[in-house]
Amino acid sequence: MAKLNTSLLLLSFLLCTLCGGGSTAGTARPSGDAGFIKASCSATLYPALCFQSLSKHASAIQQSEKQLVLAALSVSLASARSALVFMSNMAKAKGLKPREYQAVKDCMDAMGDSVDQLSQSVKELGQVGGAGAGQDFMWHMSNVQTWVSAALTDYTTCVDAFAVDGLDQRVTAAIKAKVTDADQVTSNALALVNRFAERHQAAATRTEKP
């Protein structure tokens, strides 16, 4: 029965993953907004995933760099929260060995930190004005960059918790898959954050020149 409960949980995860994979870049509406998103995503490490995850928010993003970054951070936060909920359910599953349970708990602690970091990033970006790139802008963006980078480090810490011999490989694979999803969208978000900060700063420098 213990193995059955764990297997059912893993099967549920796989089904959810398959259900979520139906959206593709090809289904996005061929508009100027979608073109803006696609061009922006070319600066990320996972451009196809970037476009897939952000194109559904095209109506809100339009062609605003700030709204693009805000959407990317929100997607990252949602993915991190989803991973944390998955791990919480996994920790409650019967049949986990003590070492597996401890690894899941350690991973949950790291993911909880990442959720906090990304939540702060979303709030901080909301304080950035729509125009201008003064000291306040760079201070807010520096905070966002620091917190998103810290979230990526938390993902590594989470995965490292499973670098222990004797763990159920199905449990390890399921956790790593969820963390990888969060890691990739967060990596994309950081690339867009950096691009937004650099472009804004470059624009301000040009404006300041006599």
Side-chain angles (χ1 to χ4, degrees):
M1 182 61 71
K3 291 183 178 180
L4 178 60
N5 287 335
T6 301
S7 297
L8 288 175
L9 184 59
L10 294 175
L11 178 60
S12 176
F13 160 72
L14 291 174
L15 289 175
C16 289
T17 300
L18 291 173
C19 291
S23 176
T24 64
T27 62
R29 59 178 187 175
S31 68
D33 296 345
F36 167 75
I37 295 171
K38 188 170 185 178
S40 299
C41 284
S42 65
T44 68
L45 190 58
Y46 309 99
L49 175 63
C50 175
F51 183 74
Q52 177 184 328
S53 62
L54 297 181
S55 59
K56 63 189 69 175
H57 304 291
S59 61
I61 295 171
Q62 297 184 18
Q63 296 188 38
S64 165
E65 288 193 330
K66 178 182 175 180
Q67 291 303 317
L68 176 76
V69 175
L70 185 59
L73 290 175
S74 297
V75 167
S76 299
L77 177 57
S79 183
R81 283 174 171 164
S82 176
L84 185 58
V85 170
F86 178 82
M87 293 173 202
S88 178
N89 291 334
M90 180 72 77
K92 298 173 185 176
K94 296 180 180 179
L96 287 182
K97 299 175 184 177
R99 283 183 297 179
E100 291 165 352
Y101 176 80
Q102 187 58 52
V104 173
K105 291 293 290 182
D106 290 344
C107 191
M108 285 176 61
D109 289 341
M111 290 302 297
D113 288 342
S114 72
V115 168
D116 290 341
Q117 303 279 8
L118 292 171
S119 295
Q120 292 183 76
S121 298
V122 171
K123 293 177 182 177
E124 191 77 8
L125 185 62
Q127 299 181 45
V128 173
Q135 292 298 317
D136 286 345
F137 173 87
M138 294 311 300
W139 183 77
H140 288 306
M141 293 307 297
S142 177
N143 288 338
V144 173
Q145 290 168 318
T146 297
W147 288 325
V148 178
S149 296
L152 288 170
T153 300
D154 289 329
Y155 299 148
T156 300
T157 300
C158 174
V159 172
D160 287 346
F162 289 89
V164 180
D165 293 334
L167 300 184
D168 188 323
Q169 292 304 304
R170 295 173 302 172
V171 173
T172 300
I175 294 291
K176 286 185 176 181
K178 294 295 288 185
V179 176
T180 297
D181 288 343
D183 179 79
Q184 291 182 352
V185 294
T186 304
S187 171
N188 285 344
L190 180 58
L192 294 175
V193 166
N194 291 339
R195 179 174 178 271
F196 179 44
E198 290 169 3
R199 288 164 65 92
H200 234 82
Q201 184 64 17
T205 301
R206 290 194 299 270
T207 302
E208 292 171 358
K209 289 182 179 180

